[in-house]
Amino acid sequence: MTTKAFWPAEPSVLSISTPPHQAATDAVVIGMDPSGRLGASATLLDQACGGTLSRLIEAGEIRGKSLELTPLYGLANVTAPLVLVVGLGDSAELDRGVAFRAAATASRHLASRERKRVAFFLDLSATELVEHAIAGALVGCQGPDLYRREKNRFPFSEVHWQSHHQASIDAGKILGNSVNLTRRLVNEPPQELYPETFAEFCVDVAQRRGLEIEVWDEARLTTERCESLLAVARGSVRPPRMVILRYRGNPQDKRNLAFVGKGVTFDSGGLSIKTSDSMQDMKCDMAGAATVLGAINAIAQLKLPINVSAFLGLVENMPGGASYKLGDVLKTRQGTTIEVLNTDAEGRLVLADVLNVAVEQGASHLIDLATLTGACMVALGTDVTGAMSNSADWCDEILLAAQECCERVWQLPMYPEYGELIRSEVADIKNIGGRWGGAITAAKLLEVFVNNLPWTHLDIAGPAFLDKPKTWQDAGGSGALVRTLVQIARRFTKSA
Ligand code: BES
Ligand code: MN
Ligand code: ZN
């Protein structure tokens, strides 16, 4: 089989100590707030060019409103041919989310033309703002046009960042490149990215980052009794894989944070086949696995002093002569039997076995990420992740981390009544719960397989894939929650 490395060149991020008007780059980005007062970098630039910035503010042309862009070409006595002023909004409301989006919006604008070197002077002081802004600058310049002859987006080769602690610059680069890794995988066509190639890419990541890795092929999955996962894979000519990645940043620590990801590289629905319209974006159904991989890639590079493992369930869900059928009863690895009443509710069947492996391998805290249900999008819309959990404390920890990163996560209830909806007459449970509360009945099935360990399920069906671009990000794979998972890991280092 031909191996394909999904690694385009990543931009390097360098610290720059020259003042903004002397930066020898293709463009310079300057931050502005709505107060009318110029920040340190804006003042230097304004003085150099003879007051153009102050005059534009005076004229109401530049207002500093959040994400407002004002490109200024050929300013006098400024080395860079283009200065892009980006609004940062009210300084009291400047959080990681604004920092990320402002830098990404500027970066996305600049990356519409070929520019090799871009310098950012946003005058951010807090290290966490710097990190997330750098991440934004890297995310904004990468698009989904990998297979276009005429590119819409030209990633920079160098991002020059206003001098700051080297550690924050490095962390921002790691964060941004990891979000982009996830986005790239989600954007790959399913013909290129299927369980085997996905697993090979994981091997590549493991080698680069010094992670332990195990790849379970069909034979191993069979001896491991992963019959539920194998059943989903049976309709496809692409054999399934389970990937286990381990990062040991603190061998003394008994706790083990486990990330579990749904990696359905294409979801046709199987015999319960989807309509063409709802199948169109189903290459994104591996976003959970891609998110988990992006997160552990970042955590390993950040060398966080904790233990993290990632478990990826990689299958393709297709109709075929060997497909699993409605009425089939699957025996999961854990022992619970599941009656299949819809082959399009496949993600939970894959995760049932993967969660069981994670539990058996000594996870102490579990988080799974999955583009699991359309019902979650009906409940929360396209921008919000649904959180469902068996532990209030563990869920709060995750909600807090998400809030710190300004990524939207909202908790849904897990009352026992929802569990009754997936009882079956012929097996222990069934894989669909009927029309109502679909995001939660799916989570109730997963809960059966986590053996009462603290666990939170994150349904990213909405935010993982953007139908339309945002001002700060192109359409397609979004990399949603990679930053939050890293933040959870960081918080985990402190709660030991
Ligand atoms: N992968 C889909 C869920 C999905 C829908 C993700 C839209 C992203 C965007 C999942 O496997 C699925 O098909 N779920 C079904 C469940 C139903 C059959 C109980 C759904 O949501 O319709
Ligand atoms: Mn499905
Ligand atoms: Zn699916």
Side-chain angles (χ1 to χ4, degrees), residues 58-396:
E58 193 78 23
E61 208 43 66
I62 299 177
R63 294 176 297 170
K65 281 176 59 181
S66 178
L67 311 190
E68 171 195 80
L69 293 182
T70 315
L72 304 167
Y73 297 91
L75 288 181
N77 302 315
V78 175
T79 309
L82 166 59
V83 171
L84 181 61
V85 182
V86 61
L88 298 174
D90 240 314
S91 56
E93 281 156 35
L94 180 51
D95 55 16
R96 288 173 241 214
V98 174
F100 180 90
R101 288 175 186 192
T105 301
S107 170
R108 181 164 179 260
H109 177 93
L110 292 172
S112 63
R113 299 283 184 279
E114 219 171 323
R115 285 183 248 269
K116 295 227 157 13
R117 295 193 306 276
V118 172
F120 284 77
F121 296 88
L122 301 184
D123 293 341
L124 305 170
S125 47
T127 57
E128 70 271 10
L129 295 184
V130 170
E131 282 179 23
H132 285 251
I134 292 175
L138 297 177
V139 169
C141 74
Q142 180 177 292
D145 55 4
L146 226 65
Y147 293 89
R148 262 180 76 110
R149 189 175 289 130
E150 268 174 69
K151 304 294 184 198
N152 294 319
R153 223 47 83 199
F154 302 90
F156 320 127
S157 42
E158 291 171 14
V159 171
H160 294 254
W161 203 266
Q162 178 178 31
S163 179
H164 204 273
H165 305 295
Q166 191 60 40
S168 333
I169 290 181
D170 293 344
K173 171 185 162 159
I174 289 166
L175 221 47
N177 284 334
S178 298
V179 173
N180 279 341
L181 180 151
T182 299
R183 295 174 63 217
R184 249 176 2 242
L185 287 176
V186 173
N187 286 335
E188 280 292 338
Q191 136 226 21
E192 300 291 339
L193 191 78
Y194 42 90
E196 292 160 285
T197 52
F198 197 145
E200 271 163 23
F201 181 67
C202 292
V203 171
D204 198 350
V205 171
Q207 276 165 358
R208 286 174 193 236
R209 309 303 174 218
L211 301 167
E212 286 174 32
I213 184 165
E214 274 181 51
V215 177
W216 291 5
D217 62 8
E218 256 181 319
R220 180 73 191 269
L221 287 163
T222 307
T223 59
E224 294 283 349
R225 309 176 324 279
C226 294
E227 287 173 30
S228 183
L229 182 153
L230 284 164
V232 175
R234 238 169 29 221
S236 171
V237 296
R238 300 291 187 195
R241 293 287 184 268
M242 189 182 317
V243 173
I244 305 171
L245 292 148
R246 291 191 203 87
Y247 164 70
R248 290 188 213 278
N250 188 356
Q252 270 87 276
D253 193 348
K254 287 200 177 56
R255 301 169 315 150
N256 204 335
L257 178 56
F259 296 149
V260 172
K262 169 179 174 181
V264 175
T265 56
F266 185 70
D267 182 12
S268 71
L271 292 179
S272 312
I273 196 161
K274 289 179 183 294
T275 62
S276 190
D277 270 354
S278 38
M279 213 187 287
Q280 217 170 76
D281 291 336
M282 277 304 132
K283 68 172 185 182
C284 84
D285 214 18
M286 35 55 74
T291 308
V292 156
L293 183 66
I296 202 166
N297 176 63
I299 290 163
Q301 289 183 88
L302 291 168
K303 302 192 166 51
L304 298 185
I306 51 165
N307 304 317
V308 180
S309 31
F311 298 82
L312 285 61
L314 307 174
V315 307
E316 191 176 71
N317 186 24
M318 294 289 280
S323 282
Y324 76 131
K325 305 173 193 73
L326 290 79
D328 275 353
V329 172
L330 310 178
K331 180 143 190 193
T332 60
R333 187 172 191 274
Q334 180 235 40
T336 302
T337 55
I338 308 179
E339 181 186 12
V340 176
L341 293 177
N342 190 320
T343 60
D344 198 12
E346 84 296 342
R348 61 201 77 181
L349 300 174
V350 173
L351 290 174
D353 281 344
V354 185
L355 283 166
N356 175 254
V357 171
V359 168
E360 193 185 271
Q361 301 229 341
S364 65
H365 296 72
L366 287 156
I367 302 174
D368 79 75
L369 286 97
T371 45
L372 204 63
T373 67
C376 195
M377 299 168 75
V378 174
L380 299 175
T382 55
D383 291 334
V384 181
T385 295
M388 287 144 270
S389 184
N390 60 355
S391 156
D393 286 347
W394 183 227
C395 193
D396 284 349

Side-chain angles (χ1 to χ4, degrees), residues 12-25:
S12 33
V13 183
L14 310 153
S15 175
I16 182 170
S17 50
T18 46
H21 54 286
Q22 285 168 2
T25 53

